[in-house]
Amino acid sequence: KNEVEQSPQNLTAQEGEFITINCSYSVGISALHWLQQHPGGGIVSLFMLSSGKKKHGRLIATINIQEKHSSLHITASHPRDSAVYICAVQTGTASKLTFGTGTRLQVTL
Amino acid sequence: EPEVTQTPSHQVTQMGQEVILRCVPISNHLYFYWYRQILGQKVEFLVSFYNNEISEKSEIFDDQFSVERPDGSNFTLKIRSTKLEDSAMYFCASRDGTRGGNQPQHFGDGTRLSIL
């Protein structure tokens, strides 16, 4: 059974700060996803990665397969980045996702 | 950009009643999923569906649950006799699968199911 652990659970930052959210998992995976969940509940896919690093705007995601660890970075954070960020790992032939508990990010002015 | 759509956005049902949650996946996608999120908890996998059959299901997905793709566009989750603990947000997702390699899952906005 794959366990997905995220840290921190809650994070408060001031606008402009550099933010890092960490994710570790326990067994082999085919891919790792970073997702964003807004207060209304909707889930948006940010990144899917199986190796290395991806960048989209101010967001950067990295993964170390050997260490079973991934990080999501937000540069120059903004209040609109406030949301829950969720790490999920993909396994199996049907590619089901196993989710972490999420990191609640609040960015203040 | 194509979207996964779910209806209704909120469903209130009496305990013991049957409920059907509806999803319209992205049109050329081949893999379909249902997940649920109990308030304050993490998202949990329920079931995956491919080629008109269930490909994987979790322990949560017991005999009270069923899925169906009744036509070329809809993907439904039925709960036969709802319990209070079925109250949750239910998310539908779909994935392309027509191209080689991994593709992301696209999520609907969810249906909030409240059992009274």
Side-chain angles (χ1 to χ4, degrees):
Chain A
K1 185 179 174 184
N2 210 349
E3 299 293 335
V4 182
E5 302 285 338
Q6 278 186 245
S7 63
Q9 284 191 295
N10 293 285
L11 183 55
T12 301
Q14 283 205 309
E15 184 177 12
E17 283 186 17
F18 180 84
I19 286 159
T20 296
I21 299 170
N22 294 299
C23 174
S24 47
Y25 53 93
S26 55
V27 301
I29 62 172
S30 54
L32 183 141
H33 298 247
W34 282 102
L35 307 146
Q36 183 188 54
Q37 185 170 32
H38 290 284
I43 295 174
V44 174
S45 179
L46 298 174
F47 293 104
M48 182 183 69
L49 60 167
S50 51
S51 66
K53 176 178 171 178
K54 286 191 176 179
K55 184 176 190 292
H56 186 254
R58 293 180 295 106
L59 301 178
I60 303 165
T62 63
I63 189 168
N64 184 320
I65 296 292
Q66 285 73 33
E67 294 188 6
K68 295 186 172 59
H69 182 269
S70 175
S71 293
L72 176 69
H73 306 286
I74 305 175
T75 61
S77 59
H78 190 277
R80 65 173 173 267
D81 297 327
S82 298
V84 176
Y85 291 84
I86 304 173
C87 169
V89 298
Q90 178 178 303
T91 57
T93 53
S95 298
K96 73 172 188 186
L97 296 183
T98 302
F99 290 74
T101 51
T103 295
R104 184 174 299 278
L105 171 65
Q106 175 99 22
V107 182
T108 59
L109 290 169
Chain B
E1 185 174 321
E3 290 181 341
V4 176
T5 56
Q6 290 186 242
T7 55
S9 56
H10 191 190
Q11 173 82 44
V12 182
T13 301
Q14 291 287 334
M15 187 172 59
Q17 295 294 305
E18 175 184 285
V19 66
I20 297 175
L21 309 183
R22 301 182 192 279
C23 170
V24 179
I26 294 173
S27 64
N28 61 337
H29 284 190
L30 300 181
Y31 292 84
F32 313 112
Y33 307 84
W34 282 103
Y35 298 90
R36 79 169 186 191
Q37 185 177 32
I38 294 170
L39 188 64
Q41 296 185 24
K42 63 183 178 181
V43 179
E44 302 172 287
F45 168 76
L46 291 178
V47 67
S48 59
F49 193 85
Y50 170 72
N51 201 26
N52 284 319
E53 60 183 24
I54 290 173
S55 46
E56 190 171 356
K57 61 183 180 179
S58 70
E59 293 171 354
I60 304 167
F61 195 89
D62 62 21
D63 292 344
Q64 293 299 312
F65 290 86
S66 62
V67 288
E68 198 175 38
R69 188 155 162 81
D71 52 41
S73 59
N74 289 284
F75 179 51
T76 61
L77 174 69
K78 182 194 291 185
I79 309 174
R80 230 176 305 279
S81 177
T82 50
K83 303 187 274 283
L84 293 175
E85 54 265 37
D86 294 326
S87 295
M89 181 78 101
Y90 288 80
F91 291 101
C92 173
S94 70
R95 182 171 71 90
D96 189 339
T98 60
R99 297 169 284 145
N102 284 316
Q103 298 103 36
Q105 293 184 22
H106 297 255
F107 288 81
D109 287 338
T111 292
R112 183 167 300 283
L113 177 63
S114 300
I115 307 300
L116 304 178

